[in-house]
Amino acid sequence: MIREALTDTQAYKRSYVNEAAKKTITIDGVNYETDQYTNAPPHVLSYLNRQLHLEPNHPIAITRRLIESCFPGFKTHNTLPRGVTTRQNFDSLGFPADHPGRNRTDTYYLNEHNLLRTHTSAHQDDVFRENSSSGWLISADVFRRDAVDRSHYPVFHQMEGALLWDRATHGTDVSAAVWEDYERLPHQDVIVDGPMFPTHPDRNPIQHGHSQDEAEALVAHLQKSLELAFFRIFSEAKKAAIAAGDTSAASSEPLKMRWVEAYFPFTSPSYELEIWWQGEWLEVLGSGVVLQGLLKDANVPTQVGWAFGIGLERIAMLLFGIPDIRLFWSTDRRFLDQFSDNGPIRRFVPFSKHPECYKDVSFWTSKGGSSAGGGGAQVELHENDVMEIVRREGGDLVEDVRLVDEFEHTKTRRKSLCYRINYRSLERTLTNDEVNQLHDKVIRAFVGELGVEIR
């Protein structure tokens, strides 16, 4: 059956490309002319119809509002346009020309110069330039080509925040003003492991033009602000777990946090915040002192400050005990009716557990493959191309995809890969015929679009 279905793979490839290709793509009222760079597929564009961070009684929106409440006085931006330019998404943030995030294997392009934003930081320059508030928060849906598993999805949600002080108001060194604001922050007994101000002259330096006192004040204010926010968030998570009968949560040790050196193209020094939660350290956000060059480019050169970014799905999964990222996109009332804007956080109660169905697909790679779903130059096969095809053909009926075997033929030097696809619905039991048909579609697409040879 499979071999017969593969007899005309070129015809299959042409039919898919013709169906998916359109002269224009309209997003948020803006028309984007497509070109050879376009690789944003229909199944991803369909997610534009929902913005989970704005949906009433949805766990993503509840999480957003909880975090926003931790930053009183910050201006919120929750409806910024999803289509952005390469300058907004990469250039304005200092991403180098060869950064992998720019590749079509990682990013959904609308055309050569426009894309679906890959992070909320794509709006950072515009909001800094607007200069309408010293503190602000951006929440948005963002888009990336990525793995297929229970914690990754092609659309997810981020929140980004920043707080600035102006040297034109406070003098050439704002440290005194920052420390005054630091003292006004609420007091909370938070256990923090490790050094509070880890820096390194090479890997995590204080910026040129920032004094030691200024940098320490900014980092201290950043850390205390985020520690307070996450103390509240995880206190809510603990209360929800106890209410759901989790005895381990009731007897667990006090909440611990730690700051770890990190690297981001748009902050320095930079840090990740980790939380000790249910026996392991969890990374919950990235943060740092905003690069002065970004503020200069945004025409606010006298300002200095800090910024952070959070993945809302990650926090919501911890808050509500949601085990699979696909559930956020479910329209099943058994899921949606468990959450409310009013009242306390409540843990998710699973309403079903349907059987998994594993199918393997093994193939020889060709010397080149059709990269990033949009035609164009022949390049080595990228795993995100494999994942994208499975997402398109299997949708939310696929729980995860894993590479389980690979080897290179000693004589031909050809590479063999074997992927294991786990088909499992969140809402019902799949039939064998249904899974076989889905798997056949995936295999045909692999051959037609990636140029592989099934083993």
Side-chain angles (χ1 to χ4, degrees), residues 122-392:
H123 303 288
Q124 193 178 95
D125 178 77
D126 297 325
V127 177
F128 280 145
R129 191 179 301 273
E130 182 185 278
N131 197 23
S132 61
S133 174
S134 59
W136 50 257
L137 299 168
I138 299 171
S139 297
D141 44 0
V142 298
F143 307 79
R144 291 183 197 171
R145 303 174 96 238
D146 211 333
V148 178
D149 58 38
R150 293 194 298 171
S151 61
H152 291 88
Y153 210 74
V155 189
F156 57 104
H157 298 77
Q158 289 184 338
M159 176 182 286
E160 178 154 335
L163 182 61
L164 302 176
W165 289 261
D166 198 330
R167 286 168 167 165
T169 302
H170 300 293
T172 56
D173 189 317
V174 302
S175 57
V178 177
W179 283 119
E180 286 179 13
D181 290 343
Y182 175 92
E183 294 299 330
R184 296 190 186 101
L185 293 173
H187 175 73
Q188 187 66 61
D189 291 325
V190 178
I191 300 174
V192 181
D193 283 357
M196 297 294 291
F197 188 60
T199 62
H200 188 277
D202 297 320
R203 65 174 182 263
N204 202 33
I206 295 173
Q207 296 176 50
H208 177 73
H210 288 189
S211 69
Q212 178 80 17
D213 289 344
E214 200 169 42
E216 288 188 8
L218 290 169
V219 170
H221 195 285
L222 159 71
Q223 291 180 342
K224 187 174 183 180
S225 298
L226 295 173
E227 288 163 6
L228 289 169
F230 273 85
F231 183 88
R232 180 178 175 190
I233 291 166
F234 277 80
S235 295
E236 293 294 328
K238 183 175 180 178
K239 286 191 291 185
I242 293 171
D246 186 342
T247 56
S248 64
S251 60
S252 63
E253 58 188 301
L255 184 66
K256 292 191 298 184
M257 307 182 189
R258 69 181 181 188
W259 292 94
V260 180
E261 283 187 54
Y263 167 77
F264 304 106
F266 29 85
T267 57
S268 187
S270 302
Y271 305 98
E272 291 176 344
L273 176 60
E274 295 184 348
I275 307 289
W276 182 256
W277 179 250
Q278 297 183 344
E280 62 179 329
W281 286 105
L282 300 177
E283 184 264 310
V284 294
L285 63 80
S287 63
V289 177
V290 180
L291 285 185
Q292 210 58 38
L294 302 183
L295 296 168
K296 180 180 179 181
D297 291 344
N299 291 329
V300 287
T302 62
Q303 298 190 3
V304 295
W306 53 254
F308 71 91
I310 301 172
L312 292 181
E313 273 84 353
R314 182 168 180 79
I315 304 306
M317 292 173 87
L318 295 169
L319 265 177
F320 295 96
I322 295 173
D324 193 312
I325 197 170
R326 293 177 296 166
L327 280 163
F328 290 119
W329 294 90
S330 175
T331 56
D332 193 316
R333 298 312 312 180
R334 293 174 296 176
F335 174 74
L336 295 174
D337 289 346
Q338 295 192 38
F339 311 102
S340 173
D341 292 338
N342 304 311
I345 301 294
R346 297 188 184 278
R347 299 283 282 185
F348 167 65
V349 179
F351 49 82
S352 61
K353 182 68 171 180
H354 298 286
E356 55 202 7
C357 181
Y358 290 102
K359 295 285 184 179
D360 289 357
V361 53
S362 300
F363 53 81
W364 296 106
T365 63
S366 63
K367 292 183 179 179
S370 178
S371 173
Q378 297 290 301
V379 298
E380 287 299 319
L381 182 144
H382 193 286
E383 184 164 86
N384 281 351
D385 294 337
V386 172
M387 300 296 173
E388 192 65 28
I389 287 174
V390 177
R391 284 196 187 279
R392 187 188 75 220

Side-chain angles (χ1 to χ4, degrees), residues 69-94:
S69 70
C70 298
F71 298 93
F74 279 47
K75 183 176 181 178
T76 58
H77 304 267
N78 296 328
T79 57
L80 296 172
R82 274 80 64 87
V84 298
T85 64
T86 52
R87 190 200 72 80
Q88 289 174 297
N89 202 80
F90 300 120
D91 301 339
S92 69
L93 298 167

Side-chain angles (χ1 to χ4, degrees), residues 15-16 60 182:
S15 67
Y16 168 70
I60 295 295
Y182 175 92

